[in-house]
Amino acid sequence: MVNQIKLTNNKDIISFLANLFPNCFTINGEVRPLKIGILQDIAVVLTQKKKLLVKLACVMLYVCILLAYATYLLLKNVQNALI
């Protein structure tokens, strides 16, 4: 029987990803840009963990939304500074 990893929240999943892909994910420190094709790399590693893939997709969506929102706020602040 294959060992199953139980990850129940976003921090656990990010920690798991940081262990698998230390060049893309980190828990502490500076945020790193995601590698193009990272989802395919992760899918290859996690092919037998279907429930985890669904949770991972949710976390990746969450991270992308946060990055988009942070970018929006940064651009808005820059725009306001220029006015």
Side-chain angles (χ1 to χ4, degrees):
M1 184 174 186
V2 177
N3 288 340
Q4 293 206 359
I5 299 168
K6 296 194 179 200
L7 303 174
T8 56
N9 64 43
N10 291 353
K11 286 186 180 184
D12 290 343
I13 293 173
I14 296 294
S15 296
F16 178 73
L17 290 173
N19 287 329
L20 286 176
F21 302 98
N23 292 332
C24 294
F25 297 95
T26 183
I27 309 236
N28 300 319
E30 208 171 304
V31 175
R32 298 178 187 152
L34 294 177
K35 169 184 161 299
I36 294 174
I38 189 69
L39 290 178
Q40 289 85 359
D41 294 349
I42 293 169
V44 167
V45 173
L46 305 175
T47 53
Q48 296 181 355
K49 297 171 179 59
K50 295 189 190 277
K51 286 185 181 179
L52 186 57
L53 285 174
V54 171
K55 276 207 159 284
L56 175 62
C58 293
V59 170
M60 294 300 291
L61 178 62
Y62 175 76
V63 168
C64 291
I65 289 170
L66 284 179
L67 289 174
Y69 184 66
T71 302
Y72 165 77
L73 290 178
L74 177 65
L75 291 175
K76 186 175 177 182
N77 288 339
V78 169
Q79 182 182 25
N80 289 339
L82 295 174
I83 295 177

